[in-house]
mmCIF file with all atom_site columns, all heavy atoms in Angstrom:
data_model
loop_
_atom_site.group_PDB
_atom_site.id
_atom_site.type_symbol
_atom_site.label_atom_id
_atom_site.label_alt_id
_atom_site.label_comp_id
_atom_site.label_asym_id
_atom_site.label_entity_id
_atom_site.label_seq_id
_atom_site.pdbx_PDB_ins_code
_atom_site.Cartn_x
_atom_site.Cartn_y
_atom_site.Cartn_z
_atom_site.occupancy
_atom_site.B_iso_or_equiv
_atom_site.pdbx_formal_charge
_atom_site.auth_seq_id
_atom_site.auth_comp_id
_atom_site.auth_asym_id
_atom_site.auth_atom_id
_atom_site.pdbx_PDB_model_num
ATOM 1   N N   . HIS A 1 127 ? 12.988 16.875 2.393   1.00 0.00 ? 127 HIS A N   1
ATOM 2   C CA  . HIS A 1 127 ? 13.885 16.291 1.393   1.00 0.00 ? 127 HIS A CA  1
ATOM 3   C C   . HIS A 1 127 ? 13.060 15.787 0.215   1.00 0.00 ? 127 HIS A C   1
ATOM 4   O O   . HIS A 1 127 ? 12.404 14.757 0.297   1.00 0.00 ? 127 HIS A O   1
ATOM 5   C CB  . HIS A 1 127 ? 14.678 15.138 2.002   1.00 0.00 ? 127 HIS A CB  1
ATOM 6   C CG  . HIS A 1 127 ? 15.560 14.432 1.031   1.00 0.00 ? 127 HIS A CG  1
ATOM 7   N ND1 . HIS A 1 127 ? 16.454 15.090 0.217   1.00 0.00 ? 127 HIS A ND1 1
ATOM 8   C CD2 . HIS A 1 127 ? 15.681 13.114 0.727   1.00 0.00 ? 127 HIS A CD2 1
ATOM 9   C CE1 . HIS A 1 127 ? 17.094 14.225 -0.531  1.00 0.00 ? 127 HIS A CE1 1
ATOM 10  N NE2 . HIS A 1 127 ? 16.633 13.006 -0.252  1.00 0.00 ? 127 HIS A NE2 1
ATOM 11  N N   . TYR A 1 128 ? 13.068 16.556 -0.863  1.00 0.00 ? 128 TYR A N   1
ATOM 12  C CA  . TYR A 1 128 ? 12.371 16.133 -2.068  1.00 0.00 ? 128 TYR A CA  1
ATOM 13  C C   . TYR A 1 128 ? 13.304 15.309 -2.943  1.00 0.00 ? 128 TYR A C   1
ATOM 14  O O   . TYR A 1 128 ? 14.487 15.609 -3.086  1.00 0.00 ? 128 TYR A O   1
ATOM 15  C CB  . TYR A 1 128 ? 11.877 17.344 -2.862  1.00 0.00 ? 128 TYR A CB  1
ATOM 16  C CG  . TYR A 1 128 ? 10.660 18.007 -2.256  1.00 0.00 ? 128 TYR A CG  1
ATOM 17  C CD1 . TYR A 1 128 ? 10.771 19.192 -1.542  1.00 0.00 ? 128 TYR A CD1 1
ATOM 18  C CD2 . TYR A 1 128 ? 9.396  17.445 -2.408  1.00 0.00 ? 128 TYR A CD2 1
ATOM 19  C CE1 . TYR A 1 128 ? 9.654  19.798 -0.983  1.00 0.00 ? 128 TYR A CE1 1
ATOM 20  C CE2 . TYR A 1 128 ? 8.270  18.045 -1.854  1.00 0.00 ? 128 TYR A CE2 1
ATOM 21  C CZ  . TYR A 1 128 ? 8.414  19.222 -1.151  1.00 0.00 ? 128 TYR A CZ  1
ATOM 22  O OH  . TYR A 1 128 ? 7.311  19.806 -0.602  1.00 0.00 ? 128 TYR A OH  1
ATOM 23  N N   . ILE A 1 129 ? 12.745 14.259 -3.528  1.00 0.00 ? 129 ILE A N   1
ATOM 24  C CA  . ILE A 1 129 ? 13.486 13.436 -4.472  1.00 0.00 ? 129 ILE A CA  1
ATOM 25  C C   . ILE A 1 129 ? 13.222 13.998 -5.864  1.00 0.00 ? 129 ILE A C   1
ATOM 26  O O   . ILE A 1 129 ? 12.105 13.899 -6.388  1.00 0.00 ? 129 ILE A O   1
ATOM 27  C CB  . ILE A 1 129 ? 13.047 11.962 -4.401  1.00 0.00 ? 129 ILE A CB  1
ATOM 28  C CG1 . ILE A 1 129 ? 13.142 11.441 -2.968  1.00 0.00 ? 129 ILE A CG1 1
ATOM 29  C CG2 . ILE A 1 129 ? 13.866 11.117 -5.362  1.00 0.00 ? 129 ILE A CG2 1
ATOM 30  C CD1 . ILE A 1 129 ? 14.537 11.391 -2.413  1.00 0.00 ? 129 ILE A CD1 1
ATOM 31  N N   . GLU A 1 130 ? 14.229 14.620 -6.438  1.00 0.00 ? 130 GLU A N   1
ATOM 32  C CA  . GLU A 1 130 ? 14.090 15.179 -7.775  1.00 0.00 ? 130 GLU A CA  1
ATOM 33  C C   . GLU A 1 130 ? 14.778 14.264 -8.788  1.00 0.00 ? 130 GLU A C   1
ATOM 34  O O   . GLU A 1 130 ? 15.849 13.721 -8.529  1.00 0.00 ? 130 GLU A O   1
ATOM 35  C CB  . GLU A 1 130 ? 14.668 16.588 -7.815  1.00 0.00 ? 130 GLU A CB  1
ATOM 36  C CG  . GLU A 1 130 ? 13.954 17.531 -6.848  1.00 0.00 ? 130 GLU A CG  1
ATOM 37  C CD  . GLU A 1 130 ? 14.312 18.991 -7.067  1.00 0.00 ? 130 GLU A CD  1
ATOM 38  O OE1 . GLU A 1 130 ? 14.764 19.338 -8.184  1.00 0.00 ? 130 GLU A OE1 1
ATOM 39  O OE2 . GLU A 1 130 ? 14.145 19.774 -6.125  1.00 0.00 ? 130 GLU A OE2 1
ATOM 40  N N   . ILE A 1 131 ? 14.160 14.104 -9.934  1.00 0.00 ? 131 ILE A N   1
ATOM 41  C CA  . ILE A 1 131 ? 14.630 13.176 -10.949 1.00 0.00 ? 131 ILE A CA  1
ATOM 42  C C   . ILE A 1 131 ? 15.511 13.909 -11.959 1.00 0.00 ? 131 ILE A C   1
ATOM 43  O O   . ILE A 1 131 ? 15.103 14.919 -12.531 1.00 0.00 ? 131 ILE A O   1
ATOM 44  C CB  . ILE A 1 131 ? 13.428 12.525 -11.676 1.00 0.00 ? 131 ILE A CB  1
ATOM 45  C CG1 . ILE A 1 131 ? 12.474 11.893 -10.673 1.00 0.00 ? 131 ILE A CG1 1
ATOM 46  C CG2 . ILE A 1 131 ? 13.911 11.472 -12.679 1.00 0.00 ? 131 ILE A CG2 1
ATOM 47  C CD1 . ILE A 1 131 ? 13.085 10.863 -9.784  1.00 0.00 ? 131 ILE A CD1 1
ATOM 48  N N   . LYS A 1 132 ? 16.710 13.407 -12.149 1.00 0.00 ? 132 LYS A N   1
ATOM 49  C CA  . LYS A 1 132 ? 17.632 14.008 -13.124 1.00 0.00 ? 132 LYS A CA  1
ATOM 50  C C   . LYS A 1 132 ? 17.313 13.543 -14.539 1.00 0.00 ? 132 LYS A C   1
ATOM 51  O O   . LYS A 1 132 ? 17.314 14.330 -15.478 1.00 0.00 ? 132 LYS A O   1
ATOM 52  C CB  . LYS A 1 132 ? 19.076 13.648 -12.761 1.00 0.00 ? 132 LYS A CB  1
ATOM 53  C CG  . LYS A 1 132 ? 19.500 14.122 -11.387 1.00 0.00 ? 132 LYS A CG  1
ATOM 54  C CD  . LYS A 1 132 ? 20.829 13.512 -10.975 1.00 0.00 ? 132 LYS A CD  1
ATOM 55  C CE  . LYS A 1 132 ? 21.184 13.866 -9.528  1.00 0.00 ? 132 LYS A CE  1
ATOM 56  N NZ  . LYS A 1 132 ? 22.398 13.167 -9.072  1.00 0.00 ? 132 LYS A NZ  1
ATOM 57  N N   . GLU A 1 133 ? 17.057 12.261 -14.667 1.00 0.00 ? 133 GLU A N   1
ATOM 58  C CA  . GLU A 1 133 ? 16.711 11.675 -15.960 1.00 0.00 ? 133 GLU A CA  1
ATOM 59  C C   . GLU A 1 133 ? 15.513 10.756 -15.776 1.00 0.00 ? 133 GLU A C   1
ATOM 60  O O   . GLU A 1 133 ? 15.338 10.151 -14.720 1.00 0.00 ? 133 GLU A O   1
ATOM 61  C CB  . GLU A 1 133 ? 17.887 10.869 -16.521 1.00 0.00 ? 133 GLU A CB  1
ATOM 62  C CG  . GLU A 1 133 ? 19.134 11.680 -16.790 1.00 0.00 ? 133 GLU A CG  1
ATOM 63  C CD  . GLU A 1 133 ? 20.278 10.822 -17.297 1.00 0.00 ? 133 GLU A CD  1
ATOM 64  O OE1 . GLU A 1 133 ? 20.085 9.586  -17.413 1.00 0.00 ? 133 GLU A OE1 1
ATOM 65  O OE2 . GLU A 1 133 ? 21.343 11.374 -17.576 1.00 0.00 ? 133 GLU A OE2 1
ATOM 66  N N   . THR A 1 134 ? 14.693 10.656 -16.799 1.00 0.00 ? 134 THR A N   1
ATOM 67  C CA  . THR A 1 134 ? 13.505 9.814  -16.720 1.00 0.00 ? 134 THR A CA  1
ATOM 68  C C   . THR A 1 134 ? 13.876 8.370  -16.401 1.00 0.00 ? 134 THR A C   1
ATOM 69  O O   . THR A 1 134 ? 14.787 7.799  -16.997 1.00 0.00 ? 134 THR A O   1
ATOM 70  C CB  . THR A 1 134 ? 12.725 9.863  -18.042 1.00 0.00 ? 134 THR A CB  1
ATOM 71  O OG1 . THR A 1 134 ? 12.253 11.197 -18.260 1.00 0.00 ? 134 THR A OG1 1
ATOM 72  C CG2 . THR A 1 134 ? 11.534 8.909  -18.023 1.00 0.00 ? 134 THR A CG2 1
ATOM 73  N N   . VAL A 1 135 ? 13.153 7.802  -15.439 1.00 0.00 ? 135 VAL A N   1
ATOM 74  C CA  . VAL A 1 135 ? 13.283 6.388  -15.100 1.00 0.00 ? 135 VAL A CA  1
ATOM 75  C C   . VAL A 1 135 ? 12.098 5.658  -15.719 1.00 0.00 ? 135 VAL A C   1
ATOM 76  O O   . VAL A 1 135 ? 10.948 6.055  -15.518 1.00 0.00 ? 135 VAL A O   1
ATOM 77  C CB  . VAL A 1 135 ? 13.286 6.180  -13.567 1.00 0.00 ? 135 VAL A CB  1
ATOM 78  C CG1 . VAL A 1 135 ? 13.121 4.704  -13.220 1.00 0.00 ? 135 VAL A CG1 1
ATOM 79  C CG2 . VAL A 1 135 ? 14.557 6.746  -12.955 1.00 0.00 ? 135 VAL A CG2 1
ATOM 80  N N   . GLU A 1 136 ? 12.376 4.615  -16.461 1.00 0.00 ? 136 GLU A N   1
ATOM 81  C CA  . GLU A 1 136 ? 11.303 3.823  -17.068 1.00 0.00 ? 136 GLU A CA  1
ATOM 82  C C   . GLU A 1 136 ? 11.604 2.344  -16.876 1.00 0.00 ? 136 GLU A C   1
ATOM 83  O O   . GLU A 1 136 ? 12.655 1.859  -17.304 1.00 0.00 ? 136 GLU A O   1
ATOM 84  C CB  . GLU A 1 136 ? 11.147 4.148  -18.544 1.00 0.00 ? 136 GLU A CB  1
ATOM 85  C CG  . GLU A 1 136 ? 9.951  3.457  -19.196 1.00 0.00 ? 136 GLU A CG  1
ATOM 86  C CD  . GLU A 1 136 ? 9.725  3.925  -20.623 1.00 0.00 ? 136 GLU A CD  1
ATOM 87  O OE1 . GLU A 1 136 ? 10.427 3.416  -21.531 1.00 0.00 ? 136 GLU A OE1 1
ATOM 88  O OE2 . GLU A 1 136 ? 8.862  4.799  -20.822 1.00 0.00 ? 136 GLU A OE2 1
ATOM 89  N N   . VAL A 1 137 ? 10.692 1.648  -16.226 1.00 0.00 ? 137 VAL A N   1
ATOM 90  C CA  . VAL A 1 137 ? 10.835 0.213  -16.006 1.00 0.00 ? 137 VAL A CA  1
ATOM 91  C C   . VAL A 1 137 ? 9.672  -0.473 -16.709 1.00 0.00 ? 137 VAL A C   1
ATOM 92  O O   . VAL A 1 137 ? 8.512  -0.106 -16.508 1.00 0.00 ? 137 VAL A O   1
ATOM 93  C CB  . VAL A 1 137 ? 10.831 -0.137 -14.508 1.00 0.00 ? 137 VAL A CB  1
ATOM 94  C CG1 . VAL A 1 137 ? 11.032 -1.634 -14.311 1.00 0.00 ? 137 VAL A CG1 1
ATOM 95  C CG2 . VAL A 1 137 ? 11.900 0.654  -13.769 1.00 0.00 ? 137 VAL A CG2 1
ATOM 96  N N   . ILE A 1 138 ? 9.994  -1.457 -17.543 1.00 0.00 ? 138 ILE A N   1
ATOM 97  C CA  . ILE A 1 138 ? 8.979  -2.151 -18.345 1.00 0.00 ? 138 ILE A CA  1
ATOM 98  C C   . ILE A 1 138 ? 9.086  -3.648 -18.121 1.00 0.00 ? 138 ILE A C   1
ATOM 99  O O   . ILE A 1 138 ? 10.177 -4.210 -18.119 1.00 0.00 ? 138 ILE A O   1
ATOM 100 C CB  . ILE A 1 138 ? 9.156  -1.841 -19.854 1.00 0.00 ? 138 ILE A CB  1
ATOM 101 C CG1 . ILE A 1 138 ? 9.031  -0.328 -20.115 1.00 0.00 ? 138 ILE A CG1 1
ATOM 102 C CG2 . ILE A 1 138 ? 8.130  -2.609 -20.688 1.00 0.00 ? 138 ILE A CG2 1
ATOM 103 C CD1 . ILE A 1 138 ? 9.364  0.058  -21.539 1.00 0.00 ? 138 ILE A CD1 1
ATOM 104 N N   . ASN A 1 139 ? 7.946  -4.281 -17.910 1.00 0.00 ? 139 ASN A N   1
ATOM 105 C CA  . ASN A 1 139 ? 7.860  -5.736 -17.886 1.00 0.00 ? 139 ASN A CA  1
ATOM 106 C C   . ASN A 1 139 ? 7.021  -6.144 -19.095 1.00 0.00 ? 139 ASN A C   1
ATOM 107 O O   . ASN A 1 139 ? 5.792  -6.098 -19.058 1.00 0.00 ? 139 ASN A O   1
ATOM 108 C CB  . ASN A 1 139 ? 7.224  -6.233 -16.588 1.00 0.00 ? 139 ASN A CB  1
ATOM 109 C CG  . ASN A 1 139 ? 7.196  -7.747 -16.483 1.00 0.00 ? 139 ASN A CG  1
ATOM 110 O OD1 . ASN A 1 139 ? 7.095  -8.451 -17.488 1.00 0.00 ? 139 ASN A OD1 1
ATOM 111 N ND2 . ASN A 1 139 ? 7.276  -8.255 -15.274 1.00 0.00 ? 139 ASN A ND2 1
ATOM 112 N N   . GLU A 1 140 ? 7.695  -6.504 -20.175 1.00 0.00 ? 140 GLU A N   1
ATOM 113 C CA  . GLU A 1 140 ? 6.987  -6.799 -21.422 1.00 0.00 ? 140 GLU A CA  1
ATOM 114 C C   . GLU A 1 140 ? 6.130  -8.048 -21.306 1.00 0.00 ? 140 GLU A C   1
ATOM 115 O O   . GLU A 1 140 ? 5.118  -8.177 -22.000 1.00 0.00 ? 140 GLU A O   1
ATOM 116 C CB  . GLU A 1 140 ? 7.996  -6.944 -22.567 1.00 0.00 ? 140 GLU A CB  1
ATOM 117 C CG  . GLU A 1 140 ? 8.713  -5.644 -22.896 1.00 0.00 ? 140 GLU A CG  1
ATOM 118 C CD  . GLU A 1 140 ? 9.675  -5.789 -24.060 1.00 0.00 ? 140 GLU A CD  1
ATOM 119 O OE1 . GLU A 1 140 ? 9.870  -6.938 -24.528 1.00 0.00 ? 140 GLU A OE1 1
ATOM 120 O OE2 . GLU A 1 140 ? 10.236 -4.758 -24.499 1.00 0.00 ? 140 GLU A OE2 1
#
Side-chain angles (χ1 to χ4, degrees):
H127 177 51
Y128 285 103
I129 306 295
E130 300 192 22
I131 306 303
K132 300 169 186 174
E133 298 178 359
T134 296
V135 168
E136 186 173 81
V137 182
I138 300 173
N139 184 329
E140 294 182 354

